[in-house]
Amino acid sequence: MDRIRIVGGQRLTGTIPISGAKNAALPLMIASLLTEDTLILDNVPRLADVSLLQRILGNHGVDVMIAGKRPGEIANGGRTLHISAKHIVDTTAPYELVSKMRASFWVVAPLVARMGEATVSMPGGCAIGTRPVDLLIMALEKLGAAIEIEGGYVVARAPNGLRGGDIVFPKVTVGGTHTAMMAAALAHGTTVIENAAREPEIGDVADCLNKMGARISGAGSARIVIEGVPRLSGARHKVLPDRIETGTYAMAVAMTGGEVLLQNARPELLQAALDVLAKAGTAIVPTNEGIRVARNGAGLAPVEVATAPFPGFPTDLQAQLMALMTRAHGTSRITETIFENRFMHVQELVRLGAHIHLDGETATIEGVKHLTGAPVMATDLRASVSLVIAGLAAEGETVVNRVYHLDRGFERVEEKLAACGAAIERLSA
Ligand code: EPU
């Protein structure tokens, strides 16, 4: 397995292009199952999770064509996928595939909506908590699917099609909202989703579904209304920029000092995180091209933050903020409210010399003057990238093992950081 080697202490200066959002690209690719026509997605990031989902969709009979280079295209920019689910040959998503990527469970919704049947493996355990799928199942049942659990698989049946219904989520769930929206798009009648997730990726998927002929209103608010239509058609859609990648690099700059333009980033997608960074002493300036992030001279101030569903501070930036706060002048507190066990980075940050005390869902971080490089690893992608951020400020050499996790969600992390002056390289196995 590849490793990433970092020698800390360099400031970051330059431009980092922000890729398309992983957590929009994945549900958008899954939405292709709703139509016989071709769905064209632009700005799809080059990530291991995208390739894996391509394989999973291929198993259902979906063809994915990746366009070659075009004149004037920037090297390594996002890719264009032409996705055709004209002939669905298999409505089963097997354990071997679903267990590798939880989001692939979401295929259950378009498959049962269009084909009347889906057999999808339950995803199983996960490095950041138990992550059940009960609310996704509840949503499908409200739309008239008959659900059985057999041999570790969810079998969803709706031979006469789904029908609209009222879905009230007792807890905000991104995956639940995506599946409810996709299923309801092809249901007979009207569906109302209450307490829907408001994450920008939900809005992006709704925009794409509407281009495909769906009738969805209210996406981005807590109440989404969907008038079902009998069929959806093809469309072309550009994946929105990745707010988690944006926040991650903003924190890297806050950590090392320097000044970087996060090209194509959109501040409204991560205002809560930008506000926290500003409080910590980072200059954040939205520009026509993206977001300019700088920290020069001043030290880092400690912060108190609790993660929350959008528009709150995202759980997917919790580990990165914790890495940053290891160098703050004073005591920070970070509370994780979304996932029960998303603290795998804590012990690894401690190995680099951080002072962190964990009490239930709250971490107390006493800022230290120095971190020192060490070999580290993590089995969750956001935890892994937090170790990269810490390594950028640690004295000496940090080697991040199991880079496979980083490649799932960050496109060319070492190239993007090295281009801004970081001493970082990939050590190939
Ligand atoms: N939950 C339930 N029952 C369910 C579904 C969810 O109890 O049926 C709980 C979860 O256990 C969790 C909370 O509800 O405590 C929120 O989970 P949610 O369903 O919102 O998460 P998800 O859809 O599984 C997506 C992202 C995650 C991100 C979360 C929260 C994708 C592919 N994944 O997961 O991203 O952390 O929303 O914002 O969009 C990542 O990219 O590293 C990542 C983990």
Side-chain angles (χ1 to χ4, degrees):
M1 274 188 270
D2 289 2
R3 293 169 298 155
I4 297 259
R5 176 174 174 273
I6 306 160
V7 178
Q10 307 295 322
R11 289 159 69 82
L12 293 173
T13 313
T15 298
I16 296 182
I18 297 303
S19 299
K22 168 179 84 83
N23 288 349
L26 300 177
L28 285 165
M29 289 172 72
I30 289 172
S32 71
L33 288 166
L34 286 164
T35 175
E36 291 177 7
D37 301 342
T38 299
L39 177 65
I40 303 174
L41 297 178
D42 294 308
N43 200 32
V44 177
R46 294 156 202 265
L47 299 173
D49 270 7
V50 167
S51 309
L52 180 57
L53 183 57
Q54 191 182 330
R55 264 180 58 206
I56 293 170
L57 293 175
N59 196 53
H60 297 296
V62 177
D63 290 327
V64 180
M65 198 278 284
I66 298 174
K69 277 192 184 170
R70 293 289 179 272
E73 193 176 275
I74 36 162
N76 292 320
R79 294 188 301 187
T80 295
L81 268 48
H82 294 244
I83 310 177
S84 165
K86 191 170 180 58
H87 305 291
I88 292 178
V89 297
D90 192 342
T91 54
T92 299
Y95 176 69
E96 302 75 66
L97 295 175
V98 179
S99 58
K100 290 199 179 117
M101 184 177 43
R102 301 186 56 83
S104 62
F105 181 82
W106 302 347
V107 299
V108 67
L111 287 175
V112 72
R114 181 170 148 202
M115 307 301 288
E117 199 271 337
T119 303
V120 178
S121 171
M122 314 250 292
C126 170
I128 63 177
T130 51
R131 301 185 78 184
V133 290
D134 56 321
L135 299 177
L136 284 68
I137 291 174
M138 176 277 279
L140 293 173
E141 282 179 331
K142 291 279 184 204
L143 300 180
I147 307 278
E148 282 173 89
I149 313 285
E150 291 168 11
Y153 281 74
V154 172
V155 183
R157 290 191 186 90
N160 301 317
L162 296 170
R163 51 178 162 68
D166 291 338
I167 300 169
V168 183
F169 284 116
K171 181 175 193 176
V172 176
T173 157
V174 171
T177 306
H178 279 309
T179 48
M181 215 165 60
M182 284 193 239
L186 283 184
H188 305 285
T190 304
T191 297
V192 179
I193 307 175
E194 304 275 7
N195 199 24
R198 290 181 281 164
E199 269 63 9
E201 294 75 22
I202 301 282
D204 204 40
V205 172
D207 284 349
C208 178
L209 290 172
N210 283 340
K211 287 180 197 165
M212 293 164 71
R215 298 179 59 194
I216 302 173
S217 58
S221 77
R223 186 170 192 271
I224 303 178
V225 179
I226 303 135
E227 309 277 350
V229 295
R231 72 176 293 277
L232 293 172
S233 57
R236 181 162 198 155
H237 184 78
K238 181 176 175 189
V239 179
L240 91 173
D242 196 314
R243 65 196 164 97
I244 304 303
E245 190 195 24
T246 306
T248 299
Y249 288 123
M251 288 186 200
V253 178
M255 185 65 145
T256 62
E259 180 164 347
V260 169
L261 171 68
L262 303 173
Q263 200 173 35
N264 305 323
R266 282 173 34 198
E268 72 278 12
L269 302 181
L270 73 160
Q271 199 55 55
L274 296 177
D275 290 347
V276 168
L277 282 174
K279 243 187 215 158
T282 312
I284 306 279
V285 182
T287 75
N288 288 342
E289 288 173 280
I291 305 174
R292 196 165 279 286
V293 181
R295 188 172 69 80
N296 291 306
L300 284 165
V303 294
E304 299 226 355
V305 169
T307 62
F310 194 87
F313 187 93
T315 173
D316 291 342
L317 285 173
Q318 180 256 108
Q320 298 90 316
L321 180 66
M322 199 177 302
L324 180 62
M325 288 299 117
T326 63
R327 293 291 313 281
H329 297 307
T331 304
S332 304
R333 249 175 283 281
I334 302 180
T335 302
E336 172 58 55
T337 72
I338 308 292
F339 294 110
E340 77 230 15
N341 191 24
R342 199 172 201 180
F343 285 117
M344 296 221 314
H345 41 289
V346 169
Q347 287 316 312
E348 298 299 304
L349 291 170
V350 166
R351 299 192 68 250
L352 297 173
H355 289 180
I356 305 174
H357 173 72
L358 200 52
D359 183 9
E361 57 188 22
T362 299
T364 304
I365 305 117
E366 307 279 351
V368 294
K369 283 213 166 63
H370 305 282
L371 297 174
T372 26
V376 285
M377 68 164 84
T379 51
D380 156 44
L381 85 113
R382 310 303 178 187
S384 294
V385 86
S386 79
L387 302 175
V388 172
I389 292 177
L392 290 173
E395 288 170 7
E397 180 180 289
T398 297
V399 176
V400 181
N401 290 287
R402 303 201 183 170
V403 169
Y404 159 76
H405 292 286
L406 273 176
D407 291 336
R408 291 190 63 170
F410 289 93
E411 185 173 329
R412 304 178 292 117
V413 68
E414 71 280 11
E415 281 178 42
K416 289 189 184 186
L417 287 169
C420 290
I424 182 168
E425 62 177 341
R426 179 177 293 251
L427 306 173
S428 293

